[in-house]
Amino acid sequence: MAYYYAVEALLIVSLVQCMLLFAHGFSSSNKKHNKLNASQIEKRGNAITPRPYVQTTSFAHKSALHDRVEILPAPDGKGMGAFANVAISKGDVVGEYSGEILTRREVEARYWGLRKSNKHDRKWRNSRKRRDQGLSGDYIFDMGNDSFIDGEDADCSSWCRFANHADPNNDATTGNACNVEARTRRVGAIADDGNKDTKSGLVGGLEEKKHLYFIALMDIKQGSELCYDYGDEYWHGKGFV
């Protein structure tokens, strides 16, 4: 449980950082991000796409240090990737997929085009553009109850958003193994009495929260890229299935 409480503390820092960045409009210190260098650009087909700028102050960088993961250019033109800095044992929690928490209404307006954008949506979109952060909508996880985790903004999302896809049928001995899996777990704050009401889903009177973690599917060697199966729903949305 110590891992989960440590990550919870990091997530609180991330959420505060997101709110402060949004409130200040990203108008001053981030102007330097408008100039991209070669390491920040990737080519997809005939399109040139800016990679998310990973500052040392970003939550992606901080969470990578915490979980002993490194964000580096990945092979085979995949853009950036996440690599293990230490050996990882099968069944270990590798990291938590975290980011902005959006409502269904916000997702429909900002990504899906199902609602008309309001001033808050436009301010949110402009802040992403100013900091060279993406607006693809490819990093969303539906957590149920009209709540979504949006991991696209590297400034306030964990390193897990850099994990690339790997086919689960790939040979585990290759460098493109599907070696982690995204799983949900409920984590709650324990009150002094430590009692849990299993019917209501409450722990010590406080509601449990649903979190998304990467779990190691096999023993992973130091230096290996961490990859997971994006699933059919992702590829259906891209028109590949």
Side-chain angles (χ1 to χ4, degrees):
M1 292 299 294
Y3 175 87
Y4 300 110
Y5 293 132
V7 171
E8 188 75 15
L10 271 176
L11 288 175
I12 292 172
V13 172
S14 167
L15 291 173
V16 171
Q17 186 170 342
C18 276
M19 290 187 289
L20 288 174
L21 286 171
F22 189 79
H24 290 294
F26 318 92
S27 58
S28 56
S29 62
N30 293 292
K31 286 183 179 178
K32 62 181 179 181
H33 298 175
N34 292 331
K35 293 183 179 180
L36 301 178
N37 59 44
S39 67
Q40 291 170 248
I41 296 176
E42 61 183 326
K43 188 172 183 179
R44 296 177 179 173
N46 294 320
I48 298 296
T49 305
R51 291 174 176 167
Y53 193 96
V54 187
Q55 299 185 90
T56 56
T57 56
S58 70
F59 187 62
H61 180 78
K62 291 177 180 177
S63 62
L65 289 177
H66 176 271
D67 293 334
R68 293 182 289 184
V69 169
E70 194 166 8
I71 302 167
L72 298 169
D76 303 322
K78 292 185 291 186
M80 303 299 280
F83 296 79
N85 259 343
V86 295
I88 301 169
S89 299
K90 180 180 178 180
D92 282 355
V93 176
V94 183
E96 177 171 3
Y97 192 100
S98 63
E100 291 183 81
I101 304 301
L102 302 181
T103 64
R104 177 171 292 275
R105 181 179 290 269
E106 288 171 330
V107 171
E108 288 177 348
R110 297 175 184 184
Y111 288 123
W112 296 347
L114 299 178
R115 291 182 183 272
K116 185 177 180 180
S117 298
N118 58 32
K119 63 179 182 180
H120 301 293
D121 300 322
R122 291 189 290 272
K123 183 177 180 181
W124 173 90
R125 189 174 293 111
N126 288 336
S127 75
R128 288 274 183 100
K129 291 178 179 178
R130 279 194 293 270
R131 293 176 295 117
D132 297 316
Q133 300 296 325
L135 290 163
S136 69
D138 290 342
Y139 299 83
I140 291 177
F141 273 89
D142 186 348
M143 301 300 288
N145 296 322
D146 290 338
S147 178
F148 295 79
I149 298 176
D150 180 7
E152 190 149 5
D153 188 338
D155 282 342
C156 50
S157 302
S158 73
W159 65 265
C160 295
R161 53 93 62 229
F162 288 98
N164 287 310
H165 168 76
D167 191 308
N169 297 316
N170 286 354
D171 185 345
T173 62
T174 68
N176 193 33
C178 181
N179 51 21
V180 299
E181 181 179 61
R183 299 179 188 172
T184 57
R185 289 187 181 181
R186 293 188 177 277
V187 179
I190 307 296
D192 292 339
D193 58 10
N195 293 328
K196 177 176 178 178
D197 182 344
T198 55
K199 290 184 178 179
S200 66
L202 301 180
V203 178
L206 297 176
E207 186 176 358
E208 289 182 312
K209 295 181 180 179
K210 198 174 182 182
H211 293 250
L212 187 67
Y213 294 97
F214 280 172
I215 309 296
L217 293 174
M218 60 188 72
D219 291 339
I220 301 172
K221 295 180 180 179
Q222 180 180 1
S224 298
E225 184 177 4
L226 302 171
C227 299
Y228 71 108
D229 179 15
Y230 284 7
D232 290 342
E233 186 175 348
Y234 175 88
W235 299 113
H236 272 295
K238 291 293 183 183
F240 293 125
V241 179

